[in-house]
Amino acid sequence: DILECNLEPFTLKIIGNLEFCLGDSVIIEVEQNYPNFVWNNGETSKRIVVKESGSFSVTAEDNTGCTTKSNSVTVEVYNVPELAINPVGKFPICIGEEATLTANFGFKTYLWNNGETTRRIVTSIPGEYYLSAVTSDGCVAYSDTLLVEVMPYPEKPIISQNGNWLNSTEAIEYQWYKNDTLIEGATN
């Protein structure tokens, strides 16, 4: 027996956008009913959820074994770089000092939680800082929160003399001066 395989071409329904940011998806669905479907990615359902870039098509088969194939649908997924805050210079800061916070490159616009819109901000105000940024493809990324702490100055050291040695009270770092002039290498 010779089969007459004159299946009408079918149409694909797109639910969502074919171009989107990483983490989103689009649904591609066959509008007609057939008993069997095989997508070029190996799936066998009437609809697929696509989360990656590529070209997608489907072959449908009726009850007699006749097949028809769809046109390809191209999906493009845009990468979203990680957004991080990096303190520059001394951090945490002491009273009267400023913290410089920078966000990484790779974004078109930046918006900090304090309203600033530059990649780098300078602040002396303690608190939590975070930002969102948008890529040139329109993808949005969010940073983690960075806590800016303003530390009080340590107590003024007490210097005592023991023979020919001068001793300071306990501290984390030392820098000795003589008559307000820094003594090179005197850091013990």
Side-chain angles (χ1 to χ4, degrees):
D1 292 337
I2 297 175
L3 297 175
E4 292 230 7
C5 287
N6 292 326
L7 292 180
E8 291 185 28
F10 55 86
T11 54
L12 296 177
K13 181 178 179 182
I14 309 298
I15 304 168
N17 294 317
L18 294 175
E19 296 180 5
F20 53 87
C21 301
L22 187 66
D24 206 350
S25 63
V26 63
I27 296 172
I28 306 173
E29 179 178 59
V30 178
E31 289 192 323
Q32 291 77 13
N33 287 319
Y34 290 98
N36 299 309
F37 300 96
V38 177
W39 292 84
N40 65 331
N41 67 353
E43 294 204 32
T44 58
S45 59
K46 184 176 178 174
R47 73 172 13 189
I48 60 171
V49 177
V50 178
K51 297 180 179 183
E52 59 190 35
S53 295
S55 194
F56 299 88
S57 62
V58 63
T59 302
E61 182 180 319
D62 69 5
N63 289 329
T64 64
C66 292
T67 61
T68 183
K69 187 175 180 180
S70 72
N71 291 328
S72 291
V73 174
T74 302
V75 174
E76 183 162 358
V77 179
Y78 299 116
N79 188 30
V80 183
E82 183 180 338
L83 180 59
I85 301 173
N86 300 302
V88 177
K90 185 180 174 195
F91 194 81
I93 58 175
C94 292
I95 296 171
E97 297 176 338
E98 294 179 321
T100 301
L101 308 177
T102 62
N104 51 302
F105 290 105
F107 297 93
K108 184 177 177 182
T109 62
Y110 298 87
L111 178 61
W112 293 82
N113 63 313
N114 66 354
E116 294 198 40
T117 57
T118 57
R119 189 179 75 80
R120 168 181 260 179
I121 64 170
V122 177
T123 185
S124 59
I125 301 169
E128 294 182 342
Y129 288 83
Y130 54 89
L131 77 151
S132 62
V134 180
T135 66
S136 58
D137 296 318
C139 299
V140 180
Y142 300 93
S143 73
D144 288 335
T145 299
L146 178 73
L147 179 63
V148 173
E149 294 181 275
V150 178
M151 308 303 285
Y153 280 112
E155 290 184 28
K156 188 173 183 177
I158 297 172
I159 299 172
S160 60
Q161 186 172 0
N162 184 3
N164 290 332
W165 293 94
L166 295 177
N167 295 309
S168 171
T169 50
E170 196 67 32
I172 295 173
E173 292 181 18
Y174 301 92
Q175 177 61 62
W176 288 87
Y177 295 81
K178 180 179 180 184
N179 298 327
D180 293 330
T181 302
L182 182 133
I183 303 170
E184 290 289 332
T187 57
N188 292 327

